[in-house]
Amino acid sequence: MMGVLRLLEGDGWSDGASHAVTEAADALEVDWVAVCLSIDGGIALEAMWFSHPAARVFSDLQFTCGEGPSVDSAHYCSVVRVDNLSTVREDRWPALTATDTGPVKAIFCFPLRIGALRIGVLTLTRASPGSLTGDDNQDAHLLAQALTRYCLNRSPPPSGTSEEDPAHPHPGGDPPGFLEANDPLERAEIHQATGMLSVQLRTGLGDALVLLRAHAYTSGMPLDEVAHAVITHRLSLGDRPHDNDTPDEKDPPI
């Protein structure tokens, strides 16, 4: 693990973490490793670094469903361990467990955080059920801490990360996310579509993202395709409510 941690000591934003994540899979005795960073007050996770495409696919699946072990770990800032995904109660992550999760059978998630600032989550996955050893669990904690320092030292947090800053309050009092939607993101169109729906429907970003996810889930379309259809005006997920609407009429259709 010391060799992995040394990779995070180099300069630059992405190269060190990318190499560290790739090497971490062997060091931690797992099949795949992923790191996602928090965006917009923690309502979503932005894909950053992956050791293998399978880790990216599972991360994208959780993003589309809006639930899963990585989502819970980031939201509650706690470690989430799933030794056997097939034995998880269906009501814990109903959308995720009803979907084909591919080769992923065991998941271990470690939050990246400092104080009230949600940085993101480190997710370890295996193709077979089983738990982490005590040493691997300790090393995963060390890697999560090192990744937290790496992110903070190489990319300044967005404005509004201090709860004592009256000029940049947190919506709803939630702790801030690490990235903002106007940062260069791989899911830029999803964040753009979320913002458009939020304005159109006069609702929060979280509710707008839920609407996107619901349409993707029920239609079978990938979430990024739904977002592209929204921003190109080929898909309408609800009309802007009028001031004289009743409360029931203001609920956006799905």
Side-chain angles (χ1 to χ4, degrees), residues 164-185:
E164 298 177 358
D165 181 2
H168 301 94
H170 307 150
D174 289 336
F178 183 64
L179 297 177
E180 297 289 357
N182 57 0
D183 289 334
L185 306 173

Side-chain angles (χ1 to χ4, degrees), residues 136-205:
D136 289 338
N137 185 72
Q138 182 176 358
D139 285 345
H141 277 288
L142 291 175
L143 180 56
Q145 293 169 7
L147 283 164
T148 299
R149 292 192 299 270
Y150 180 89
C151 293
L152 290 175
N153 290 337
R154 284 159 180 78
S155 182
S159 60
T161 57
S162 171
E163 289 184 315
E164 298 177 358
D165 181 2
H168 301 94
H170 307 150
D174 289 336
F178 183 64
L179 297 177
E180 297 289 357
N182 57 0
D183 289 334
L185 306 173
E186 291 193 24
R187 298 187 177 114
E189 287 193 335
I190 295 175
H191 303 308
Q192 183 180 354
T194 300
M196 289 175 61
L197 284 176
S198 176
V199 173
Q200 180 186 8
L201 301 174
R202 297 176 182 170
T203 189
L205 290 172

Side-chain angles (χ1 to χ4, degrees), residues 18-185:
S18 179
H19 295 156
V21 165
T22 299
E23 296 297 324
D26 287 337
L28 295 171
E29 299 181 294
V30 296
D31 292 300
W32 310 293
V33 178
V35 175
C36 297
L37 299 186
S38 175
I39 180 171
D40 283 343
I43 66 166
L45 292 171
E46 175 66 19
M48 292 302 295
W49 304 295
F50 301 88
S51 66
H52 188 275
R56 174 59 188 266
V57 170
F58 186 66
S59 174
D60 286 348
L61 179 61
Q62 293 184 87
F63 185 88
T64 298
C65 294
E67 63 182 28
S70 301
V71 177
D72 282 2
S73 179
H75 182 74
Y76 296 108
C77 291
S78 62
V79 176
V80 176
R81 299 181 182 88
V82 181
D83 294 343
N84 189 343
L85 185 59
S86 66
T87 63
V88 172
R89 298 192 324 269
E90 292 183 1
D91 60 348
R92 185 174 185 183
W93 302 306
L96 181 67
T97 54
T99 307
D100 181 6
T101 57
V104 174
K105 305 301 180 185
I107 309 103
F108 315 97
C109 305
F110 299 81
L112 312 183
R113 63 166 293 183
I114 182 168
L117 178 62
R118 298 172 179 175
I119 307 295
V121 61
L122 166 69
T123 300
L124 316 176
T125 47
R126 281 181 174 159
S128 58
S131 59
L132 288 179
T133 66
D135 288 344
D136 289 338
N137 185 72
Q138 182 176 358
D139 285 345
H141 277 288
L142 291 175
L143 180 56
Q145 293 169 7
L147 283 164
T148 299
R149 292 192 299 270
Y150 180 89
C151 293
L152 290 175
N153 290 337
R154 284 159 180 78
S155 182
S159 60
T161 57
S162 171
E163 289 184 315
E164 298 177 358
D165 181 2
H168 301 94
H170 307 150
D174 289 336
F178 183 64
L179 297 177
E180 297 289 357
N182 57 0
D183 289 334
L185 306 173

